[in-house]
Amino acid sequence: MHILVVIPARYASTRFPGKALADLEGRPLIVRTVERAAQMKRADQVIVATDDSRILDAVQSAGFAVEMTGDHGTGTDRIGEIAARHPEAEIILNLQGDEPLLDPGTADRLVEAILADRSIDIGTLAHPFATPEEWQNPNNVKVLVDQGRRALYFSRACVPGVFPGSAAEPSHHALRHVGVYAFRRSALEKFLTLAPSPLERTEGLEQLRALENGMTIKVLPIDQAPVGVDTPEDLEKVKQIIRRMAG
């Protein structure tokens, strides 16, 4: 199967404007991210999708593939435009442009998981919560899975709830979702035809649209999430990690 990796990148960012081009140890953040994705063994193509000429120039100057898109409300819509231009791609992997530390091997495992099971429409990642406080943070998305590691529900709330009198620790049953997705082409095309769903609008989580329409999401467990860059402070943390890795 032909595997297409698409990395959506835009210049605007509420908490960190221009972060895609922020300097990360001598190279822009988006270039660092593409460099990691290019190390995947299961990727046939890696393309940055952007609507900003500055990002286009930076990626092209580094020698990587990049394509301009229209103005889209979500990264999935942007990925859909790129996928439509590459009908040979049977699996489309959505990597975030602000996660330069994502392990290429982890992305390969996600591709392999969806290739191994034809019943899976979408694959994604999640890891255990380190502390109850992380589980209680509404900025951390929780996912509940069945015994086959298929997603039951995603939420910003503290799920699951606790039956009165139960001694169970609920944070042990939820996983922290990592926003990386592998789509089967048919699933991506179907998803993009669907209107935003009621639970999606309530939670502000696009993946609930897939669940509400009967699509199967496989959750691949990983040990911990890579450090993403949402703020200038996050960028400094990633710089320190890259320095340690280089040393």
Side-chain angles (χ1 to χ4, degrees), residues 128-132 135 159-160 168-175:
F129 282 97
T131 65
W135 173 71
V159 293
E169 172 50 65
S171 64
H172 292 170
H173 299 288
L175 295 172

Side-chain angles (χ1 to χ4, degrees), residues 93-94 96 106 109-111 113-114 120-127 143 145 149-151 154 175-183 207 211 216-222:
L93 188 64
N94 173 3
Q96 301 303 311
T106 296
R109 286 176 55 217
L110 185 58
V111 171
I114 197 170
I120 300 171
D121 295 308
I122 304 168
T124 193
L125 304 174
H127 65 88
V143 57
V145 299
R149 291 287 180 181
R150 291 173 173 81
F154 295 86
L175 295 172
R176 182 177 178 180
H177 182 231
V178 179
V180 174
Y181 298 95
F183 288 90
Q207 60 269 39
L211 291 185
T216 301
I217 302 178
K218 179 80 170 189
V219 179
L220 182 71
I222 58 177

Side-chain angles (χ1 to χ4, degrees), residues 119-124 141-146 148-156 159 177 181 183 187-188 190-192 194-201 203 205-219:
S119 71
I120 300 171
D121 295 308
I122 304 168
T124 193
V141 176
K142 297 86 184 170
V143 57
L144 302 179
V145 299
D146 67 13
R149 291 287 180 181
R150 291 173 173 81
L152 295 170
Y153 192 64
F154 295 86
S155 182
R156 299 184 186 280
V159 293
H177 182 231
Y181 298 95
F183 288 90
L188 177 61
K190 175 182 176 179
F191 182 87
L192 293 174
L194 301 172
S197 62
L199 289 174
E200 174 189 358
R201 290 193 295 266
E203 293 265 17
L205 298 175
E206 198 179 26
Q207 60 269 39
L208 289 174
R209 187 190 317 176
L211 291 185
E212 286 188 84
N213 284 277
M215 300 175 76
T216 301
I217 302 178
K218 179 80 170 189
V219 179

Side-chain angles (χ1 to χ4, degrees), residues 18-164:
K19 72 176 179 179
L21 299 180
D23 180 77
L24 184 52
E25 294 298 285
R27 289 193 284 283
L29 170 63
I30 184 61
V31 171
R32 287 283 190 181
T33 303
V34 182
E35 287 174 341
R36 294 284 281 181
Q39 295 174 29
M40 288 179 60
K41 295 179 180 179
R42 299 306 303 259
D44 295 297
Q45 286 178 288
V46 179
I47 300 173
V48 173
T50 188
D51 58 1
D52 191 279
S53 60
R54 291 164 290 189
I55 295 174
L56 179 82
D57 292 341
V59 176
Q60 283 183 333
S61 296
F64 294 103
V66 57
E67 296 184 14
M68 291 290 286
T69 69
D71 186 21
H72 293 290
T74 70
T76 308
D77 292 326
R78 196 179 305 282
I79 286 165
E81 181 178 341
I82 299 296
R85 299 177 191 168
H86 297 272
E88 71 280 4
E90 297 170 87
I91 303 296
I92 298 94
L93 188 64
N94 173 3
L95 298 185
Q96 301 303 311
D98 56 7
E99 291 196 350
L101 298 178
L102 179 68
D103 181 6
T106 296
D108 282 326
R109 286 176 55 217
L110 185 58
V111 171
E112 289 163 0
I114 197 170
L115 290 175
D117 188 346
R118 295 292 303 181
S119 71
I120 300 171
D121 295 308
I122 304 168
T124 193
L125 304 174
H127 65 88
F129 282 97
T131 65
E133 289 73 26
E134 285 188 3
W135 173 71
Q136 292 163 1
N137 186 340
N139 292 317
N140 296 331
V141 176
K142 297 86 184 170
V143 57
L144 302 179
V145 299
D146 67 13
Q147 294 184 4
R149 291 287 180 181
R150 291 173 173 81
L152 295 170
Y153 192 64
F154 295 86
S155 182
R156 299 184 186 280
C158 295
V159 293
V162 181
F163 186 78

